[in-house]
Amino acid sequence: MIYNQILVRFGDLTLKGKNQKVFLKALYKLMDEKMKGLNVYVEHTHDRIFIHLNDEDVNKVIERLNYVSGISSYSLVVKCSDNLNEIKETSLKLMQEVVKKKTTFKVNTKRADKSYPMHSLEITKHVSGYVLAHDSDLVVDVHNPEVELNLEIRGGACYLFNTNLRAMGGFPVGVAGKGLLMLSGGIDSPVAGYLAMKQGIEIECIHFESTPLTSIESAQKVVDLVKKMARYAPGNKICVHFIPFKEIHMALLDHVPESYNITIMRRMMYRIATKLAIKKNCLAIINGESVGQVASQTLGSMNTINSVTNFPILRPLCTYDKMDIMNISRKIDCYELSIKPFEDCCTVYVPKAPATAPKKEKAELFEKSFDYESMIDSAVENVNSIMIESESDLDLSMLGLEVREVIKELKEKK
């Protein structure tokens, strides 16, 4: 392959004015982290990043690059000197590698270095004329070409490329502060976590587990999803907080009418998440709710559930339809894990006819039938937290039947 570098563009970061240095510093750090272990050199400039491939497998580099939030696009490039003859020869080599049949093309030249003795249009004419004279498969079409050859002259060199691949976009994860993701084992919440990280929010996760009422495999499913999400996180790791929810779960089944079970369960989860978010210095709670998708996500339900907290709640998926969410889930390689049939406490006892417009006053009345406040405090106090790395081989199902016992055993081994 002729390519020897990857040119990385910043996108929205260029709009940050006086704060741009803060964003770029975070991006450089994140980029260096993701490229660690690869035989590449990452060169930072004021408006670009250049990854020198040094014969490294370009597919491995691109895979890592797609885990970096804060970059808009990138191109595989060939770097040569800004000598016109060398530019023409390199252009021909690149086009011959890319084009294998009769093809239309055009040349675009950007002269970032204004001291260069030729104007962009002159360079374009010289290069396109040379390529046409030496390759009979190529025909110029300036309006609708099948292939574009792009030349950027800057810093005494010329960068040649014919691709512009879309990157993750957004902002470097961490620049927006930290949020607490309410993570179930379903499709939606991992996608919400990904979209939050894409916009610069570092995440920790909270999962409500009811082992052994629910299987340890349901908790392992969460661990496996976090491994996938951790590829986008700083240090390739994310902390997961497993909340022991069994006692509250049983109290809800005993004291709350079936139609209000999910509503009040979610209210309990929001109360717990708020306490834990404050304790862990998070600035917001994030979840995978999408308006109208299930009974607890109608606007009426969300209003009643949300009323137990004044903490900021972010819903990245609120306007997404299910197909959009599933497509992103597949893109981040979470879909096949998410559809595994291990049920968590939100799905194992789904009522036959849940209230779609539950009233706050009714929910408060039902909650008076048991001492939920002490249960909430106990759940937060007895949280089981564990750091999950993207390359971890952790398998909870091999260590026991209850999350509490398993995490205790893991900590004792350390």
Side-chain angles (χ1 to χ4, degrees):
M1 182 177 288
I2 192 173
Y3 303 110
N4 51 31
Q5 293 190 21
I6 297 178
L7 183 159
V8 179
R9 304 176 187 86
F10 298 152
D12 287 351
L13 296 192
T14 59
L15 305 176
K16 285 300 174 182
K18 293 180 180 179
N19 293 325
Q20 189 181 104
K21 288 183 179 179
V22 176
F23 283 77
L24 290 180
K25 184 178 179 181
L27 177 59
Y28 296 155
K29 182 180 178 182
L30 189 61
M31 178 74 75
D32 290 342
E33 273 185 7
K34 299 305 179 187
M35 295 298 144
K36 192 173 182 179
L38 296 179
N39 182 34
V40 298
Y41 167 64
V42 181
E43 177 188 357
H44 306 145
T45 71
H46 75 284
D47 62 346
R48 294 282 194 274
I49 294 175
F50 293 96
I51 302 174
H52 299 250
L53 294 172
N54 298 330
D55 296 322
E56 179 62 87
D57 183 347
V58 69
N59 292 318
K60 288 183 180 179
V61 180
I62 288 175
E63 181 183 10
R64 301 278 190 92
L65 200 54
N66 287 332
Y67 299 142
V68 181
S69 57
I71 59 176
S72 64
S73 66
Y74 56 90
S75 296
L76 298 171
V77 304
V78 186
K79 180 184 178 182
C80 68
S81 77
D82 63 1
N83 176 274
L84 182 60
N85 288 330
E86 189 172 346
I87 292 173
K88 291 193 291 186
E89 291 170 4
T90 307
S91 296
L92 178 61
K93 288 178 184 177
L94 177 56
M95 293 302 290
Q96 287 176 333
E97 179 160 319
V98 171
V99 174
K100 304 299 181 185
K101 58 182 179 64
K102 203 78 172 179
T103 302
T104 57
F105 85 109
K106 70 177 288 190
V107 177
N108 303 307
T109 303
K110 179 179 180 181
R111 192 173 56 107
D113 182 359
K114 301 304 181 186
S115 66
Y116 193 74
M118 298 177 67
H119 293 295
S120 298
L121 187 57
E122 291 179 85
I123 300 167
T124 295
K125 287 180 177 178
H126 278 284
V127 171
S128 57
Y130 183 85
V131 171
L132 279 171
H134 290 82
D135 193 330
S136 59
D137 282 336
L138 291 169
V139 178
V140 169
D141 183 345
V142 297
H143 300 294
N144 189 29
E146 295 172 271
V147 176
E148 294 191 28
L149 172 62
N150 301 284
L151 314 176
E152 280 196 21
I153 296 177
R154 57 172 65 230
C158 182
Y159 298 86
L160 302 86
F161 58 94
N162 64 330
T163 60
N164 191 352
L165 304 172
R166 187 173 180 181
M168 191 172 169
F171 301 104
V173 62
V175 295
K178 187 167 64 173
L180 184 65
L181 174 67
M182 299 174 74
L183 181 64
S184 70
I187 296 171
D188 300 339
S189 53
V191 174
Y194 163 78
L195 292 175
M197 286 191 284
K198 179 177 178 288
Q199 290 306 112
I201 302 173
E202 184 178 353
I203 64 169
E204 294 187 11
C205 299
I206 180 172
H207 177 73
F208 300 88
E209 61 89 12
S210 294
T211 56
L213 285 180
T214 54
S215 69
I216 192 69
E217 284 82 5
S218 67
Q220 179 60 39
K221 183 179 175 182
V222 168
V223 169
D224 292 338
L225 287 168
V226 173
K227 289 179 190 177
K228 298 291 187 183
M229 296 167 62
R231 297 172 300 178
Y232 302 93
N236 296 326
K237 57 187 178 182
I238 294 175
C239 186
V240 183
H241 306 287
F242 286 98
I243 294 290
F245 203 67
K246 182 175 69 172
E247 186 181 3
I248 297 175
H249 197 156
M250 297 304 296
L252 294 174
L253 295 174
D254 289 341
H255 297 284
V256 176
E258 185 181 26
S259 62
Y260 266 71
N261 199 292
I262 289 294
T263 299
I264 296 179
M265 178 184 291
R266 296 290 290 171
R267 282 165 64 91
M268 298 299 164
M269 289 177 173
Y270 269 61
R271 290 178 171 117
I272 291 170
T274 299
K275 287 180 178 288
L276 188 65
I278 293 169
K279 190 175 181 180
K280 298 298 178 180
N281 299 313
C282 295
L283 301 177
I285 293 168
I286 306 158
N287 63 41
E289 293 176 347
S290 177
V291 175
Q293 197 170 110
V294 294
S296 63
Q297 295 174 23
T298 64
L299 288 181
S301 288
M302 291 164 75
N303 186 271
T304 295
I305 293 166
N306 215 118
S307 66
V308 302
T309 182
N310 58 7
F311 207 70
I313 309 296
L314 305 183
R315 297 177 174 89
L317 305 183
C318 67
T319 63
Y320 283 57
D321 65 32
K322 198 65 179 182
M323 289 304 298
D324 292 333
I325 298 168
M326 289 165 63
N327 287 337
I328 298 174
S329 181
R330 291 187 179 97
K331 174 184 173 182
I332 63 175
D333 197 26
C334 285
Y335 182 76
E336 295 301 326
L337 286 171
S338 294
I339 62 174
K340 284 187 175 181
F342 300 119
E343 297 178 308
D344 58 25
C345 58
C346 290
T347 57
V348 69
Y349 292 120
V350 176
K352 294 177 182 177
T356 57
K359 304 299 181 185
K360 175 185 171 183
E361 295 75 19
K362 275 193 173 184
E364 290 173 343
L365 179 64
F366 296 142
E367 288 171 348
K368 289 179 180 178
S369 62
F370 64 104
D371 180 18
Y372 67 83
E373 291 185 1
S374 63
M375 293 181 185
I376 285 173
D377 289 339
S378 176
V380 174
E381 185 179 339
N382 292 289
V383 62
N384 297 293
S385 303
I386 186 170
M387 188 68 73
I388 305 296
E389 298 183 3
S390 61
E391 299 299 320
S392 169
D393 59 358
L394 176 63
D395 188 345
L396 303 182
S397 63
M398 299 296 290
L399 300 172
L401 297 176
E402 294 188 46
V403 167
R404 174 180 57 83
E405 293 176 353
V406 167
I407 293 182
K408 182 181 178 182
E409 183 180 339
L410 287 170
K411 290 181 177 179
E412 286 174 353
K413 286 181 178 179
K414 289 185 178 180

